[in-house]
Amino acid sequence: MASQEDIFKKLIAHCKEYGFVFPSSEIYDGLGAVYDYGQNGVELKNNLKRYWWDAMVLLNENVVGIDAAVFMHPTTWKASGHVDAFNDPLIDNKDSKKRYRADVLIEELLAKYEEKIQKEIAKAAKRFGDNFDERQFRETNPRVLENQAKHDQIHARFVKALNDSDLAELKAIIIDYDVVDPISGTKNWTDVRQFNLMFSTEMGSAADTAMKIYLRPETAQGIFVNYLNVQKTGRMKIPFGIAQIGKAFRNEIVARQFIFRMREFEQMEMQFFVRPGEEMKWFEHWKQLRLKWHKALGLGDHKYRFHDHDKLAHYANAATDIEFELPFGFKEIEGIHSRTDFDLSSHEKYSGKNIKYFDPELNQSYTPYVIETSIGVDRTFLSIMAASYEEELLASGESRIVLKLPPALAPVKAAIFPLVRKDGLPEAARSILEQLKFDFKCTYDEKDSIGKRYRRQDATGTPICITVDHQTLEDNCVTVRHRDNMRQERVPIHSLHHLINEQVSLKNLFKKIVE
Ligand code: GAP
């Protein structure tokens, strides 16, 4: 069986071969951790963004959207805390000359202990079958107890070190638990240093008047500085939310794992403004709603889990991640934070402007508290691709690569083929495309055998293939072939629109969220 690492490599190759994701400026050998989306990738990405956007602004009547600029006044980032505190703790291995995030090395160490425990449990569960009592096993098995104790010891030191910003202690954990560099295999580590992740540039032409500005590291601040504009012009009443999709930039030092960690990426963020004291109720509300949004994609409920933060960011009083099981383990794809009134209060202080909300029901003014949902477009894209990619062995003995994408997100919804390139079949096929193209992204293909054409569409996740044959000219019916089960059926041309819509409408996903 192929290892997860092999599967991941194949997925990256597939993304390139079929026009989903290319390395940026590849003809110049690429640019580290920057990627371009190709002709299929951009369609999938746009569909994904549409799914998120509509789930926010259509399904919630008290959520509206904005589109703020990437460049913001530099004081924004002083107020938000990013100038002083948006750092990663870095450590170098002196032999390999590679740089790592110290916190990630320790998280990986913790994951190794968890894996060891899970392996013991899986072995025992197999041995004892139905009689297996996991709780009792965890409480009594010496190997599990030993690994759990080590895990807890490291975890406690790690949390304390993070909360105290104790860089020496982070290094001490790495040394004490024999963490080695995966490349050199040595423990020859430097001290841990803080590194600010913001990119900066200069605005203005003359050197003496140019102003240092930052490329936004999150889209959230564009929402905070516009909160009062939207509240007033939209006559919004608390609670209400502002949603935004846009690029963010971070000078990630450890940029690995394809589009999982990029230097230029896209976020979909929503800030929900609530009464102080009601934030925990809304935090729970959005946690559950966001998980439903993910699960509605149908990639497998077991692939998601919540992970509560060990260290809360400087602005948060509660925070959790939605993690997804990628080929390299469970990883964060969305963060849900209760950000208190930190951002608005801070902008009020730095700008000197009053941005309080007057609550007519309470007859009082206050600075709203904020619940944030923040999801990475690229990471979600990766999770969808990883869960959809399958190498299937068919009953015929042949194999096929198929992307079982959620149909609503598939780049192309229907492919239309004439059986042969003559006898009026191409014209009949094209006339079907002409009817469908107003509502669905369709493609036309007349090259190679029908089997090969099916395979090409399977590889890019097209849910429906439509074949026009000689019979079509007589009975106005076509053969529809479904991607996942390869079932074929004969249907009248006039019912195609309905049939495709039933499968690919975003409504199918929205219904699962609201039910
Ligand atoms: N406004 C809050 C915020 O930015 P975050 O946890 O730093 O929180 C939110 O980022 C989401 O953005 C993450 O869950 C992830 O999906 C995505 N993200 C963050 N850094 C990323 C990177 N370097 N590459 C790709 N996606 C990233």
Side-chain angles (χ1 to χ4, degrees):
M1 218 171 84
S3 70
Q4 288 299 302
E5 201 176 319
D6 288 341
I7 292 172
F8 191 48
K9 277 190 192 147
K10 282 187 187 176
L11 180 68
I12 296 172
H14 190 85
C15 280
K16 188 174 160 201
E17 190 180 344
Y18 286 93
F20 284 91
V21 182
F22 305 127
S24 156
S25 30
E26 197 185 4
I27 57 168
Y28 296 105
D29 297 333
L31 183 67
V34 185
Y35 291 90
D36 298 337
Y37 285 82
Q39 68 280 11
N40 284 316
V42 70
E43 293 292 343
L44 173 52
K45 197 174 173 210
N46 285 343
N47 294 337
L48 172 60
K49 289 194 275 185
R50 169 61 56 199
Y51 174 42
W52 182 87
W53 186 264
D54 286 355
M56 283 295 169
V57 306
L58 295 189
L59 302 193
N60 302 284
E61 60 177 287
N62 55 355
V63 176
V64 293
I66 61 161
D67 183 20
V70 167
F71 293 143
M72 300 183 71
H73 192 285
T75 310
T76 308
W77 304 109
K78 192 75 194 149
S80 68
H82 284 82
V83 172
D84 297 320
F86 195 52
N87 302 318
D88 271 350
L90 299 183
I91 190 165
D92 291 46
N93 183 272
K94 292 182 200 164
D95 299 318
S96 70
K97 311 267 184 282
K98 290 278 173 205
R99 187 162 283 177
Y100 299 88
R101 270 176 57 179
D103 55 335
V104 171
L105 287 179
I106 298 171
E107 271 164 12
E108 285 170 359
L109 174 70
L110 286 167
K112 270 191 200 143
Y113 282 104
E114 277 164 22
E115 249 169 59
K116 281 186 191 173
I117 294 168
Q118 283 310 328
K119 265 194 195 146
E120 293 292 344
I121 291 172
K123 258 196 322 200
K126 206 165 158 197
R127 201 168 55 235
F128 294 116
D130 289 346
N131 297 329
F132 181 60
D133 180 341
E134 184 178 326
R135 209 183 68 178
Q136 192 191 5
F137 184 74
R138 276 179 180 274
E139 283 168 1
T140 52
N141 180 276
R143 274 186 303 273
V144 170
L145 287 173
E146 193 188 322
N147 284 318
Q148 189 66 52
K150 274 214 179 113
H151 174 280
D152 294 349
Q153 235 172 37
I154 301 168
H155 188 252
R157 281 181 67 179
F158 180 46
V159 174
K160 187 165 181 332
L162 287 178
N163 283 323
D164 298 348
S165 296
D166 185 346
L167 303 182
E169 173 66 355
L170 286 180
K171 177 173 178 182
I173 298 172
I174 289 171
I175 300 293
D176 292 352
Y177 289 92
D178 297 323
V179 176
V180 295
D181 175 357
I183 294 171
S184 66
T186 71
K187 293 196 290 177
N188 198 4
W189 297 108
T190 61
D191 286 343
V192 178
R193 296 175 321 287
Q194 292 286 25
F195 181 87
N196 193 285
L197 297 180
M198 280 198 294
F199 284 105
S200 65
T201 185
E202 290 191 344
M203 187 177 267
S205 51
D208 52 340
T209 55
M211 176 163 67
K212 180 176 177 181
I213 54 166
Y214 297 98
L215 274 73
R216 65 181 178 197
E218 61 170 16
T219 63
Q221 298 304 324
I223 296 179
F224 290 124
V225 299
N226 277 298
Y227 133 84
L228 206 59
N229 285 338
V230 174
Q231 190 273 316
K232 289 222 158 103
T233 56
R235 292 180 295 122
M236 309 298 291
K237 285 205 169 60
I238 275 186
F240 73 92
I242 304 178
Q244 172 167 226
I245 300 178
K247 290 271 181 150
F249 305 83
R250 295 182 189 177
N251 195 3
E252 298 283 1
I253 294 311
V254 185
R256 273 184 271 134
Q257 294 160 331
F258 192 38
I259 55 172
F260 182 78
R261 197 176 298 286
M262 302 157 87
R263 295 198 167 104
E264 174 181 339
F265 58 100
E266 217 166 349
Q267 291 184 315
M268 305 189 281
E269 300 200 294
M270 195 276 305
Q271 313 293 327
F272 198 70
F273 301 91
V274 304
R275 277 184 188 158
E278 293 190 355
E279 69 273 19
M280 284 309 157
K281 178 182 92 182
W282 288 110
F283 177 69
E284 205 44 50
H285 169 86
W286 282 106
K287 246 177 92 171
Q288 299 311 332
L289 204 55
R290 292 303 305 143
L291 189 63
K292 271 185 159 185
W293 180 93
H294 285 279
K295 288 186 172 172
L297 286 169
L299 304 175
D301 289 3
H302 62 286
K303 286 184 178 281
Y304 297 93
R305 71 179 188 196
F306 285 120
H307 173 250
D308 294 333
H309 285 204
D310 285 331
K311 183 195 177 197
L312 292 176
H314 56 277
Y315 48 73
N317 69 356
T320 196
D321 294 334
I322 295 179
E323 294 187 336
F324 186 83
E325 192 177 15
L326 287 163
F328 41 91
F330 272 95
K331 297 285 170 195
E332 171 195 345
I333 51 176
E334 172 157 4
I336 299 158
H337 306 125
S338 171
R339 289 181 81 124
T340 66
D341 61 352
F342 172 83
D343 302 88
L344 291 181
S345 296
S346 192
H347 286 306
E348 190 162 41
K349 188 172 118 203
Y350 277 84
S351 68
K353 308 264 164 44
N354 174 11
I355 51 176
K356 290 201 168 47
Y357 169 79
F358 177 74
D359 191 324
E361 279 173 35
L362 299 181
N363 198 24
Q364 85 185 50
S365 292
Y366 54 78
T367 307
Y369 270 43
V370 173
I371 304 303
E372 166 183 79
T373 71
S374 174
I375 172 172
V377 175
D378 312 272
R379 284 191 190 177
T380 313
F381 183 106
L382 181 61
S383 69
I384 292 166
M385 289 295 282
S388 303
Y389 179 88
E390 274 185 31
E391 294 178 2
E392 242 179 32
L393 194 60
L394 305 176
S396 62
E398 283 176 89
S399 66
R400 69 164 181 161
I401 291 178
V402 53
L403 275 187
K404 293 189 172 169
L405 296 170
L409 304 190
V412 174
K413 307 301 189 216
I416 303 156
F417 313 145
L419 183 62
V420 289
R421 243 188 291 179
K422 56 182 183 181
D423 305 336
L425 301 190
E427 291 76 8
R430 283 209 175 272
S431 99
I432 293 175
L433 188 139
E434 290 303 315
Q435 293 167 38
L436 296 175
K437 74 177 184 188
F438 295 102
D439 295 303
F440 310 108
K441 172 83 183 148
C442 297
T443 189
Y444 173 86
D445 190 1
E446 56 178 26
K447 204 166 168 284
D448 301 321
S449 67
I450 288 289
K452 277 194 180 151
R453 286 183 248 172
Y454 282 156
R455 291 291 172 275
R456 276 201 287 274
Q457 296 304 322
D458 287 344
T460 55
T462 306
I464 288 166
C465 291
I466 299 164
T467 304
V468 171
D469 55 23
H470 293 94
Q471 187 71 24
T472 308
L473 304 180
E474 286 164 28
D475 64 4
N476 277 324
C477 288
V478 289
T479 302
V480 164
R481 182 260 197 187
H482 299 271
R483 178 194 69 198
D484 294 352
N485 53 17
M486 297 188 292
R487 189 171 57 81
Q488 299 191 10
E489 58 179 329
R490 198 78 187 157
V491 303
I493 292 171
H494 67 78
S495 66
L496 282 174
H497 188 284
H498 178 73
L499 183 146
I500 299 170
N501 198 46
E502 285 288 287
Q503 272 207 38
V504 308
S505 171
L506 278 174
K507 224 190 211 177
N508 297 331
L509 306 185
F510 296 146
K511 278 189 195 149
K512 289 191 208 160
I513 300 176
V514 298
E515 75 193 5

